[in-house]
Amino acid sequence: MTFLRIHLAYKNIQRLRQIITILIKHGFYPIIERIHLTKLISIPQRIVGKKATIEQEALSLAVRTRLAFEELGPTFIKFGQILSTRPDILPEEFIKEFLKLQDEVPSFAFQDVVKVIEQEFKKSVKELLREIEEKPVAAASIAQVHKAVTMDGKDVVIKVQRPDIEAIIDNDISILQYLAKLIVKYIPESRSYDPMGMVEEFGGIIKKEMDFTLEASYTERFRKNHSDDPRVLIPAVYWNLTGKKALTMERITGIKIDNIEKLRESGIDTEKISHIVAEVLFRQVFEFGVFHGDLHSGNIFVTGPEQIAFVDFGIVGRLDREMQENLADIFVGLVSEDYELLTRVYLRMGILPEDIDEATFKREYQDMLFSYFGKPFKRTSVGELLMSYIKLASRYRIRMPRELLLLDKCILELEGLGRLLHPDVNVLVESQQFARRLIAKRFGPAAMMKDAVDTVMEYRTFTKALPVQISQILKKMMSDKFTIDFVHRGLEDLMGEMDRSSNRLTFAIIVAALIIGSSLVIAFDSGPKLFGYPFLGILGFVVAGVLGLWLAFLILRSGKF
């Protein structure tokens, strides 16, 4: 039994049983059975689970997974939301279902809010805030938000982390790691989806999201970036009331961007608002290289006739200069229908496997572009086109940068919002001024001079380091310390199977030896008797029989003969 299994059995077996029960309820009994976890539930639950599987067949696997995640609680809701940014791994139907996951959960008690604030700042709430409303304005899986007033009379909102949420998420992640390990072991076809990698990525992202000082820093950065644009409002951060588990920001009052009826009643031109949202996103992408990574309607408010406000910077995408330039080429290529440019850009963006068939890849990609440009505008979607490319790249084992996957999700959300506000909004047109500006800047005198200086500095560093490196290699070769390490890839399963096979063979030899030895003892009829036969011979046969049955059971359970 592995340490992880012992840890789970000791610390969190009840939570694991709860997860299994909910998964079975949503028709996942066959998977639970394949990964050998049915032993953790009772026989009546197994019977109910088989029946539920039949009843749930009317729903797709993607829908059942979303419903199960919603019932499993905060950690799994977050896990699904993060998986919605991985169209390179998951089928499109799963991505669409996971995008529906809403991070809305019941609020926690106000006395716990006070306790967290006082523990974070080592002062009583009365010393920190003039007033704070008991009823939260929003409650999510990690935190909830309350209106408050600072000691100097400023209207703010304070985002407070749920008590013990870190321990809860840690426990759930350990269970997810255990389940991922079992899935990889017992369901070999799952390895192409990299379950353990998914859980590892999720753990890193959720840990960052739970540190509110990081979110505060991003909020300040966005506020600074948009300080020259009166159309964009980013809340100010109150650092004296901000820590790892509490974040205090300027209170934003406005209308949620998807409340079309209220916007029109207030005299807001929704077409203008759709243009502003798109322009702001593409400015973040092409000018700042940092963009808001969660553009659902709850994070955008309309605060004036031509003004929007962004909140919640827990998920942020970052783009380096090379990625910005590649994206600029992509959007220009889409508008101009330049298939060759688009093909070249995508080929250089991914990390191409050595054995890729470039000619076939180009042909498939250009066929996909022809089908896209052949549709009427209202039936096209840039986000879906980017997702189609990601799936194509995945089939050719081209690794896509995570930031590009996150941007694709944002563009899908942007298109959904844009068409809700104004059916004829064109994301491609909105992107053009920023994409072309970046391309022009790339070939401007200042950029070319900077590139030349960077190249000279790189060559200077290389030429200075080269003699030293060659000298070190020669010294190692002369002193017989020069080694070349070979790393095997993909042989772990083979080595494990060889270990299991050798163990079973040894086990079988021991059983055979017991049978032969016992036969000899009985043949010579020596030693103490039992029922008229030598006792040691009978004992040997009994032990050999038990061990043989155990060996047969292990082989049958593994499903490999």
Side-chain angles (χ1 to χ4, degrees):
M1 185 179 285
T2 64
F3 171 78
L4 181 56
R5 194 179 299 180
I6 293 170
H7 174 72
L8 285 171
Y10 172 73
K11 186 176 181 181
N12 215 15
I13 193 70
Q14 292 304 318
R15 174 58 173 161
L16 180 56
R17 280 187 177 135
Q18 182 187 22
I19 290 170
I20 292 169
T21 302
I22 292 172
L23 289 173
I24 286 175
K25 172 185 170 183
H26 290 281
F28 289 95
Y29 183 84
I31 293 176
I32 299 301
E33 190 175 35
R34 282 190 71 182
I35 62 176
H36 301 272
L37 284 181
T38 52
K39 57 191 173 185
L40 292 178
I41 58 174
S42 64
I43 292 175
Q45 283 179 301
R46 298 179 200 182
I47 295 169
V48 171
K50 290 179 180 178
K51 185 180 177 183
T53 300
I54 297 170
E55 292 173 351
Q56 293 287 325
E57 284 179 350
L59 298 175
S60 71
L61 182 60
V63 171
R64 286 189 281 125
T65 305
R66 173 179 60 81
L67 293 173
F69 279 11
E70 286 175 345
E71 191 170 346
L72 285 167
T75 306
F76 287 82
I77 289 172
K78 281 288 179 188
F79 187 40
Q81 289 174 335
I82 289 169
L83 287 178
S84 72
T85 67
R86 297 305 307 269
D88 59 324
I89 294 177
L90 293 180
E92 186 175 355
E93 59 177 331
F94 280 87
I95 300 298
K96 288 181 177 178
E97 285 300 321
F98 289 159
L99 284 171
K100 297 176 185 177
L101 285 168
Q102 295 299 310
D103 195 8
E104 295 175 1
V105 296
S107 60
F108 58 92
F110 183 68
Q111 55 263 35
D112 290 327
V113 173
V114 172
K115 185 178 177 181
V116 171
I117 293 172
E118 291 180 345
Q119 286 178 344
E120 186 70 19
F121 301 111
K122 312 302 180 189
K123 289 182 180 180
S124 70
V125 168
K126 291 181 180 179
E127 293 179 89
L128 295 165
L129 296 166
R130 181 184 295 179
E131 61 180 80
I132 178 171
E133 292 187 7
E134 288 194 22
K135 186 179 178 180
V137 293
S141 55
I142 291 179
Q144 66 187 37
V145 180
H146 291 257
K147 291 181 180 179
V149 179
T150 62
M151 298 303 288
D152 57 357
K154 298 289 177 59
D155 290 332
V156 297
V157 291
I158 182 163
K159 182 177 178 181
V160 183
Q161 198 168 110
R162 286 180 173 270
D164 304 320
I165 188 65
E166 194 167 358
I168 292 169
I169 288 176
D170 283 343
N171 288 342
D172 279 352
I173 288 175
S174 70
I175 292 173
L176 280 169
Q177 289 170 336
Y178 178 52
L179 292 174
K181 188 175 180 181
L182 292 178
I183 288 169
V184 169
K185 181 178 180 181
Y186 294 113
I187 309 178
E189 60 268 27
S190 70
R191 292 173 190 172
S192 60
Y193 297 105
D194 190 18
M196 298 190 74
M198 287 183 188
V199 176
E200 185 179 350
E201 180 183 354
F202 167 64
I205 293 171
I206 198 73
K207 289 288 184 186
K208 290 179 181 177
E209 197 171 338
M210 290 174 66
D211 184 355
F212 291 170
T213 58
L214 183 61
E215 181 180 341
S217 297
Y218 276 125
T219 306
E220 286 284 281
R221 181 167 180 176
F222 276 85
R223 184 175 169 83
K224 181 180 178 181
N225 286 346
H226 291 290
S227 60
D228 62 344
D229 190 346
R231 303 174 305 166
V232 184
L233 181 61
I234 308 292
V237 175
Y238 290 78
W239 284 100
N240 61 317
L241 293 171
T242 293
K244 187 176 180 181
K245 296 184 178 181
L247 168 59
T248 305
M249 295 179 293
E250 173 188 0
R251 191 188 305 175
I252 300 294
T253 55
I255 305 168
K256 278 181 67 174
I257 196 166
D258 63 346
N259 194 339
I260 304 299
E261 186 178 342
K262 194 170 181 181
L263 288 173
R264 287 174 179 162
E265 285 176 0
S266 303
I268 303 293
D269 186 338
T270 54
E271 181 180 357
K272 281 185 180 178
I273 296 299
S274 69
H275 291 310
I276 292 171
V277 175
E279 286 177 18
V280 168
L281 174 66
F282 287 117
R283 187 183 183 200
Q284 291 173 359
V285 169
F286 292 117
E287 190 171 325
F288 305 132
V290 181
F291 62 93
H292 195 299
D294 195 10
L295 289 184
H296 71 75
S297 57
N299 290 338
I300 309 175
F301 294 87
V302 178
T303 53
E306 294 185 22
Q307 187 182 62
I308 59 172
F310 288 90
V311 297
D312 193 353
F313 294 88
I315 300 176
V316 170
R318 297 184 301 274
L319 302 169
D320 59 24
R321 190 176 73 168
E322 183 181 0
M323 180 61 75
Q324 285 178 294
E325 292 175 353
N326 285 330
L327 285 170
D329 286 337
I330 288 170
F331 282 98
V332 168
L334 286 172
V335 169
S336 60
E337 299 187 19
D338 188 338
Y339 308 111
E340 286 297 328
L341 171 62
L342 287 166
T343 305
R344 287 197 307 271
V345 174
Y346 273 128
L347 282 171
R348 76 178 183 234
M349 276 181 68
I351 301 175
L352 301 181
E354 294 179 2
D355 58 346
I356 189 172
D357 184 345
E358 284 195 29
T360 304
F361 173 78
K362 285 181 180 179
R363 185 167 58 252
E364 281 197 50
Y365 179 58
Q366 291 186 359
D367 287 344
M368 185 182 74
L369 290 173
F370 278 123
S371 67
Y372 171 81
F373 288 120
K375 293 178 182 177
F377 167 71
K378 289 187 178 181
R379 290 193 167 191
T380 61
S381 164
V382 178
E384 289 182 5
L385 175 64
L386 293 176
M387 188 177 286
S388 297
Y389 169 73
I390 290 165
K391 288 189 291 186
L392 176 64
S394 178
R395 198 161 69 246
Y396 281 87
R397 292 181 289 109
I398 298 174
R399 296 200 321 241
M400 300 301 296
R402 183 183 175 276
E403 304 300 329
L404 180 62
L405 302 174
L406 181 61
L407 178 60
D408 183 37
K409 169 183 168 288
C410 288
I411 290 175
L412 281 170
E413 291 173 329
L414 175 66
E415 285 187 321
L417 280 175
R419 290 184 176 179
L420 182 67
L421 293 164
H422 184 61
D424 294 327
V425 68
N426 189 331
V427 169
L428 280 179
V429 171
E430 305 293 349
S431 70
Q432 286 312 290
Q433 60 171 311
F434 300 102
R436 293 189 184 281
R437 192 183 301 166
L438 182 64
I439 291 171
K441 185 178 177 183
R442 184 200 311 174
F443 295 106
M448 295 182 73
M449 179 62 71
K450 184 179 183 301
D451 287 343
V453 171
D454 289 344
T455 303
V456 170
M457 293 301 293
E458 284 180 13
Y459 275 114
R460 180 174 176 270
T461 302
F462 173 74
T463 53
K464 284 181 68 177
L466 186 61
V468 177
Q469 291 171 346
I470 292 174
S471 176
Q472 288 174 343
I473 292 171
L474 290 173
K475 284 179 182 177
K476 286 184 178 182
M477 293 177 71
M478 292 174 68
S479 60
D480 293 331
K481 293 182 180 179
F482 185 77
T483 58
I484 299 175
D485 294 330
F486 292 93
V487 180
H488 64 76
R489 295 175 185 265
L491 296 180
E492 295 83 357
D493 293 338
L494 175 62
M495 293 171 68
E497 192 61 40
M498 289 177 67
D499 284 341
R500 284 191 291 273
S501 299
S502 61
N503 290 339
R504 287 175 185 170
L505 182 60
T506 304
F507 205 69
I509 291 171
I510 293 170
V511 172
L514 280 170
I515 293 171
I516 294 169
S518 300
S519 301
L520 291 172
V521 169
I522 289 176
F524 284 108
D525 196 25
S526 59
K529 300 291 194 296
L530 179 66
F531 304 118
Y533 294 98
F535 173 72
L536 289 176
I538 293 172
L539 179 63
F541 277 127
V542 170
V543 173
V546 171
L547 293 177
L549 287 171
W550 178 246
L551 177 60
F553 171 73
L554 290 176
I555 293 172
L556 288 169
R557 190 176 72 170
S558 70
K560 297 177 181 178
F561 298 93

